Amino acid sequence: MDANPLIPTAYDVIFFALWVAAMVYTVVALVSAVRDRRVSGIRFLLWFLVIALVPVIGPTAWFVRRAREGEQAPGAAAD
């Protein structure tokens, strides 16, 4: 496998590492969505597609949504 002469090897390594990190982040978000029992039906399908098809932004939106729902959990003590 020959390296691209127009792109230094260090950039190849950095871009590959960023790609791997984005894929791991996406897989973690997908697993989180599958395990979340509060989301089902069409909402689950839509979230699954957003997470899978919009890398980085989709998983980030999923985790932000989960954090906000966690703050508003029923039975939580109100300040």
Side-chain angles (χ1 to χ4, degrees):
M1 181 166 115
D2 293 328
N4 185 339
L6 301 176
I7 301 175
T9 305
Y11 288 134
D12 283 340
V13 172
I14 291 169
F15 291 142
F16 181 73
L18 289 174
W19 179 82
V20 168
M23 291 302 104
V24 168
Y25 189 46
T26 301
V27 169
V28 169
L30 288 171
V31 169
S32 173
V34 167
R35 296 183 66 178
D36 191 344
R37 296 186 186 270
R38 294 175 291 181
V39 180
S40 61
I42 194 73
R43 284 183 59 209
F44 170 76
L45 179 62
L46 291 174
W47 270 113
F48 193 88
L49 290 174
V50 167
I51 293 168
L53 298 177
V54 187
V56 179
I57 295 170
T60 300
W62 169 255
F63 288 123
V64 167
R65 177 203 156 272
R66 280 196 59 208
R68 287 190 178 157
E69 278 190 0
E71 292 172 1
Q72 301 168 357
D79 290 332

